[in-house]
Amino acid sequence: MTQLEHIGPPRVAPALITARGLEKHHGQTHALRGVDVTIRQGEIVAVMGPSGSGKSTLLHCLAGVITPDTGEVTIGDTRISDLSEDQRSLFRLTRLGFVFQFGQLLPELSAEDNVALPLMLGGTRRARALVQAHSWLERLGLAGMERRLPSELSGGQAQRVALARGLVNAPAVLFADEPTGSLDSLTAERVMETLTDVARSTRTTLVIVTHDARVAAYSDREIFIRDGSVTSPALESAV
Ligand code: ADP
């Protein structure tokens, strides 16, 4: 390598999620008070703050689950705050992945069908969706458990199935809301290792809401929120 090859701008991943001026009221509660956030392609970001500070409201605005009262959210080329409700549903289904605190697997569906569901809802035939579901279940250490119902899985196994379901449609962003909140600490560590290993190896942008510093320790960067405002630098100077 010549010396010249060292010169030039640093290789910084482009911004994938950009939120500007987000305000959101829930009735009388001012849940977000002008939040600006930029998250880069492939970043693992923890959104932290005390209970009631606005973390979930921010996550729901970033993911297009709810629309802010004012402000805008862009993911890639799509300004999701401008989409209709139907368009936002389709965008979430096809471009985003979600993992929740209690997994929220459908109890009457087997592990494989739970994982295949986002693909089938997007129009993929079941046989093909199951091939992809099996591959994710195997990758997450669940080979042999494809036919089990959620009630036949441990908490950690069920949360891995939920991870597989969140990842199966190769989302641009995986949103995780307290993904280990219902697990004991050892299982939580293993799930966080799996979650962050997979996100890094697939270059999936991961946004984790948590109040737990042990969970946040797996992230590249933390965004702190208090009383609806970001209290740490959410914007990097290079943006
Ligand atoms: P966090 O995720 O940090 O616990 P939330 O975003 O859930 O915080 O809530 C922020 C504030 O908005 C809290 O005061 C909460 O009580 C309020 N809030 C959230 N969702 C609703 C809702 N659907 N209706 C009324 N108030 C809500």
Side-chain angles (χ1 to χ4, degrees):
M1 193 182 283
T2 67
Q3 211 172 356
L4 269 181
E5 283 173 280
H6 293 289
I7 300 173
R11 272 193 213 152
V12 179
L16 180 67
I17 307 175
T18 310
R20 292 290 175 265
L22 298 185
E23 301 262 350
K24 183 69 185 177
H25 286 83
H26 293 298
Q28 296 297 309
T29 307
H30 202 170
L32 295 180
R33 300 166 182 263
V35 169
D36 294 336
V37 168
T38 301
I39 297 172
R40 296 176 191 286
Q41 168 71 51
E43 249 193 317
I44 297 179
V45 172
V47 177
M48 294 198 71
S51 180
S53 57
K55 302 183 296 297
S56 298
T57 304
L58 175 59
L59 180 110
H60 292 153
C61 284
L62 295 181
V65 176
I66 57 175
T67 46
D69 301 335
T70 56
E72 60 188 48
V73 176
T74 304
I75 298 184
D77 298 332
T78 307
R79 189 177 292 192
I80 56 167
S81 38
D82 284 354
L83 300 179
S84 69
E85 197 156 339
D86 284 353
Q87 289 170 323
R88 277 190 285 122
S89 296
L90 186 65
F91 185 83
R92 286 198 304 272
L93 186 63
T94 55
R95 302 292 315 283
L96 306 180
F98 294 89
V99 181
F100 304 99
Q101 178 171 0
F102 297 106
Q104 296 179 352
L105 300 175
L106 294 179
E108 67 279 20
L109 293 187
S110 61
E112 61 183 7
D113 279 316
N114 265 288
V115 177
L117 194 60
L119 293 173
M120 292 195 286
L121 290 173
T124 305
R125 282 190 300 117
R126 183 165 179 265
R128 201 168 150 188
L130 285 179
V131 171
Q132 282 177 259
H134 288 183
S135 135
W136 272 109
L137 288 169
E138 186 178 354
R139 186 163 176 177
L140 297 185
L142 294 164
M145 303 197 183
E146 296 84 355
R147 299 283 168 86
R148 290 203 191 176
L149 293 173
S151 59
E152 298 166 333
L153 298 168
S154 71
Q157 288 166 345
Q159 202 59 330
R160 279 167 201 268
V161 173
L163 293 189
R165 183 184 58 184
L167 288 158
V168 76
N169 61 0
V173 187
L174 182 62
F175 289 97
D177 196 350
E178 300 281 7
T180 61
S182 63
L183 304 176
D184 65 75
S185 54
L186 185 61
T187 309
E189 265 180 46
R190 295 208 173 123
V191 167
M192 281 311 298
E193 274 164 21
T194 305
L195 174 58
T196 49
D197 282 353
V198 170
R200 286 188 209 288
S201 64
T202 54
R203 299 274 300 142
T204 302
T205 304
L206 176 58
V207 181
I208 310 165
V209 159
T210 185
H211 66 276
D212 185 345
R214 286 169 302 180
V215 170
Y218 287 88
S219 70
D220 300 327
R221 183 163 62 98
E222 293 163 5
I223 294 174
F224 288 93
I225 182 160
R226 180 175 286 273
D227 294 332
S229 298
V230 170
T231 59
S232 65
L235 285 167
E236 292 166 45
S237 53
V239 172

Tab-separated table of all heavy atoms in Angstrom, residues 24-32 49-58 60 177-178 209 225, ligand 1:
chain	number	residue	atom	x	y	z
A	24	LYS	N	-43.853	14.166	20.029
A	24	LYS	CA	-44.998	13.263	20.135
A	24	LYS	C	-45.685	13.451	21.481
A	24	LYS	O	-45.024	13.421	22.524
A	24	LYS	CB	-44.527	11.802	19.989
A	24	LYS	CG	-45.652	10.786	20.018
A	24	LYS	CD	-46.523	10.860	18.781
A	24	LYS	CE	-47.725	9.940	18.857
A	24	LYS	NZ	-48.596	10.081	17.663
A	25	HIS	N	-46.982	13.649	21.429
A	25	HIS	CA	-47.804	13.700	22.649
A	25	HIS	C	-48.611	12.409	22.744
A	25	HIS	O	-49.095	11.913	21.740
A	25	HIS	CB	-48.789	14.872	22.606
A	25	HIS	CG	-48.154	16.213	22.811
A	25	HIS	ND1	-47.559	16.910	21.786
A	25	HIS	CD2	-48.032	16.969	23.932
A	25	HIS	CE1	-47.083	18.049	22.270
A	25	HIS	NE2	-47.348	18.108	23.553
A	26	HIS	N	-48.736	11.893	23.956
A	26	HIS	CA	-49.734	10.859	24.239
A	26	HIS	C	-50.728	11.559	25.164
A	26	HIS	O	-50.439	11.723	26.351
A	26	HIS	CB	-49.121	9.666	24.972
A	26	HIS	CG	-48.143	8.872	24.161
A	26	HIS	ND1	-48.483	8.217	23.006
A	26	HIS	CD2	-46.826	8.619	24.347
A	26	HIS	CE1	-47.429	7.586	22.523
A	26	HIS	NE2	-46.404	7.825	23.302
A	27	GLY	N	-51.838	12.009	24.640
A	27	GLY	CA	-52.750	12.804	25.460
A	27	GLY	C	-52.017	14.044	25.962
A	27	GLY	O	-51.433	14.798	25.183
A	28	GLN	N	-52.015	14.223	27.287
A	28	GLN	CA	-51.358	15.400	27.883
A	28	GLN	C	-49.844	15.198	28.016
A	28	GLN	O	-49.118	16.154	28.294
A	28	GLN	CB	-51.926	15.669	29.292
A	28	GLN	CG	-53.401	16.027	29.313
A	28	GLN	CD	-53.660	17.334	28.568
A	28	GLN	OE1	-53.010	18.343	28.808
A	28	GLN	NE2	-54.599	17.294	27.620
A	29	THR	N	-49.381	13.959	27.838
A	29	THR	CA	-47.957	13.690	28.069
A	29	THR	C	-47.135	14.052	26.841
A	29	THR	O	-47.412	13.581	25.732
A	29	THR	CB	-47.743	12.184	28.380
A	29	THR	OG1	-48.606	11.823	29.439
A	29	THR	CG2	-46.309	11.901	28.764
A	30	HIS	N	-46.128	14.898	27.069
A	30	HIS	CA	-45.224	15.284	25.980
A	30	HIS	C	-44.097	14.248	25.958
A	30	HIS	O	-43.086	14.404	26.645
A	30	HIS	CB	-44.695	16.690	26.267
A	30	HIS	CG	-44.205	17.400	25.057
A	30	HIS	ND1	-43.884	18.737	25.059
A	30	HIS	CD2	-43.987	16.982	23.791
A	30	HIS	CE1	-43.483	19.104	23.848
A	30	HIS	NE2	-43.529	18.050	23.067
A	31	ALA	N	-44.285	13.164	25.187
A	31	ALA	CA	-43.376	12.013	25.275
A	31	ALA	C	-42.059	12.250	24.545
A	31	ALA	O	-41.017	11.760	24.969
A	31	ALA	CB	-44.061	10.765	24.730
A	32	LEU	N	-42.086	12.978	23.426
A	32	LEU	CA	-40.851	13.348	22.711
A	32	LEU	C	-40.875	14.854	22.480
A	32	LEU	O	-41.869	15.407	22.011
A	32	LEU	CB	-40.736	12.620	21.363
A	32	LEU	CG	-40.590	11.101	21.382
A	32	LEU	CD1	-40.494	10.545	19.959
A	32	LEU	CD2	-39.379	10.651	22.201
A	49	GLY	N	-32.451	4.991	28.911
A	49	GLY	CA	-33.066	6.029	29.719
A	49	GLY	C	-34.001	5.383	30.721
A	49	GLY	O	-34.367	4.219	30.577
A	50	PRO	N	-34.400	6.151	31.745
A	50	PRO	CA	-35.278	5.569	32.755
A	50	PRO	C	-36.663	5.257	32.206
A	50	PRO	O	-37.027	5.729	31.119
A	50	PRO	CB	-35.349	6.665	33.834
A	50	PRO	CG	-34.781	7.893	33.227
A	50	PRO	CD	-33.995	7.520	32.018
A	51	SER	N	-37.410	4.480	32.946
A	51	SER	CA	-38.777	4.144	32.559
A	51	SER	C	-39.594	5.430	32.382
A	51	SER	O	-39.480	6.360	33.184
A	51	SER	CB	-39.373	3.271	33.672
A	51	SER	OG	-40.673	2.945	33.338
A	52	GLY	N	-40.346	5.493	31.295
A	52	GLY	CA	-41.191	6.659	31.043
A	52	GLY	C	-40.478	7.810	30.368
A	52	GLY	O	-41.065	8.884	30.159
A	53	SER	N	-39.213	7.624	29.981
A	53	SER	CA	-38.444	8.743	29.407
A	53	SER	C	-38.756	8.969	27.929
A	53	SER	O	-38.377	10.002	27.366
A	53	SER	CB	-36.938	8.498	29.593
A	53	SER	OG	-36.566	7.267	29.012
A	54	GLY	N	-39.388	7.987	27.268
A	54	GLY	CA	-39.735	8.161	25.859
A	54	GLY	C	-39.032	7.196	24.921
A	54	GLY	O	-39.138	7.330	23.698
A	55	LYS	N	-38.352	6.199	25.461
A	55	LYS	CA	-37.584	5.260	24.628
A	55	LYS	C	-38.482	4.520	23.635
A	55	LYS	O	-38.183	4.469	22.445
A	55	LYS	CB	-36.857	4.220	25.501
A	55	LYS	CG	-35.898	4.803	26.520
A	55	LYS	CD	-35.170	3.716	27.294
A	55	LYS	CE	-36.044	2.826	28.145
A	55	LYS	NZ	-36.759	3.527	29.235
A	56	SER	N	-39.559	3.926	24.167
A	56	SER	CA	-40.430	3.137	23.279
A	56	SER	C	-41.120	4.038	22.265
A	56	SER	O	-41.285	3.653	21.098
A	56	SER	CB	-41.484	2.371	24.085
A	56	SER	OG	-40.843	1.472	24.935
A	57	THR	N	-41.503	5.226	22.695
A	57	THR	CA	-42.144	6.153	21.757
A	57	THR	C	-41.174	6.502	20.632
A	57	THR	O	-41.563	6.528	19.451
A	57	THR	CB	-42.585	7.440	22.501
A	57	THR	OG1	-43.442	7.068	23.580
A	57	THR	CG2	-43.322	8.390	21.572
A	58	LEU	N	-39.912	6.717	20.980
A	58	LEU	CA	-38.914	7.006	19.941
A	58	LEU	C	-38.765	5.813	19.003
A	58	LEU	O	-38.780	5.966	17.772
A	58	LEU	CB	-37.565	7.359	20.592
A	58	LEU	CG	-36.400	7.567	19.623
A	58	LEU	CD1	-36.698	8.696	18.632
A	58	LEU	CD2	-35.097	7.858	20.368
A	60	HIS	N	-40.888	3.490	18.331
A	60	HIS	CA	-42.092	3.332	17.505
A	60	HIS	C	-42.147	4.389	16.404
A	60	HIS	O	-42.624	4.107	15.307
A	60	HIS	CB	-43.345	3.384	18.384
A	60	HIS	CG	-43.472	2.196	19.286
A	60	HIS	ND1	-44.132	2.215	20.479
A	60	HIS	CD2	-42.983	0.931	19.149
A	60	HIS	CE1	-44.055	1.019	21.045
A	60	HIS	NE2	-43.353	0.233	20.254
A	177	ASP	N	-36.994	-4.161	21.416
A	177	ASP	CA	-37.485	-3.413	22.577
A	177	ASP	C	-37.302	-4.285	23.816
A	177	ASP	O	-38.013	-5.274	23.981
A	177	ASP	CB	-38.967	-3.063	22.368
A	177	ASP	CG	-39.442	-1.976	23.327
A	177	ASP	OD1	-38.685	-1.644	24.266
A	177	ASP	OD2	-40.560	-1.470	23.128
A	178	GLU	N	-36.340	-3.943	24.665
A	178	GLU	CA	-35.999	-4.728	25.860
A	178	GLU	C	-35.943	-6.223	25.520
A	178	GLU	O	-36.660	-7.029	26.122
A	178	GLU	CB	-37.026	-4.481	26.985
A	178	GLU	CG	-37.131	-3.053	27.444
A	178	GLU	CD	-36.006	-2.609	28.393
A	178	GLU	OE1	-35.050	-3.386	28.602
A	178	GLU	OE2	-36.077	-1.477	28.885
A	209	VAL	N	-33.801	-0.854	22.425
A	209	VAL	CA	-34.260	-0.051	23.552
A	209	VAL	C	-34.025	-0.850	24.820
A	209	VAL	O	-34.422	-2.011	24.911
A	209	VAL	CB	-35.760	0.285	23.407
A	209	VAL	CG1	-36.362	0.651	24.754
A	209	VAL	CG2	-35.953	1.425	22.424
A	225	ILE	N	-31.905	9.136	26.647
A	225	ILE	CA	-33.091	9.977	26.547
A	225	ILE	C	-33.678	10.159	27.944
A	225	ILE	O	-33.674	9.224	28.752
A	225	ILE	CB	-34.091	9.368	25.530
A	225	ILE	CG1	-35.314	10.234	25.349
A	225	ILE	CG2	-34.489	7.969	25.839
A	225	ILE	CD1	-36.043	9.932	24.046
B	1	ADP	P1	-40.178	4.344	28.059
B	1	ADP	O1	-40.166	3.433	26.895
B	1	ADP	O2	-38.900	5.107	28.230
B	1	ADP	O3	-40.598	3.675	29.330
B	1	ADP	P2	-42.505	5.499	26.787
B	1	ADP	O4	-42.074	5.987	25.466
B	1	ADP	O5	-43.240	4.209	26.863
B	1	ADP	O6	-41.260	5.499	27.787
B	1	ADP	O7	-43.438	6.607	27.463
B	1	ADP	C1	-43.098	8.004	27.501
B	1	ADP	C2	-44.224	8.739	28.242
B	1	ADP	O8	-45.425	8.664	27.471
B	1	ADP	C3	-44.556	8.142	29.595
B	1	ADP	O9	-44.929	9.204	30.462
B	1	ADP	C4	-45.734	7.244	29.302
B	1	ADP	O10	-46.559	7.111	30.456
B	1	ADP	C5	-46.443	7.998	28.192
B	1	ADP	N1	-47.146	7.108	27.255
B	1	ADP	C6	-46.570	6.199	26.448
B	1	ADP	N2	-47.484	5.574	25.686
B	1	ADP	C7	-48.687	6.109	26.032
B	1	ADP	C8	-50.028	5.899	25.599
B	1	ADP	N3	-50.318	5.009	24.653
B	1	ADP	N4	-51.000	6.650	26.190
B	1	ADP	C9	-50.707	7.551	27.128
B	1	ADP	N5	-49.465	7.820	27.571
B	1	ADP	C10	-48.459	7.092	27.045
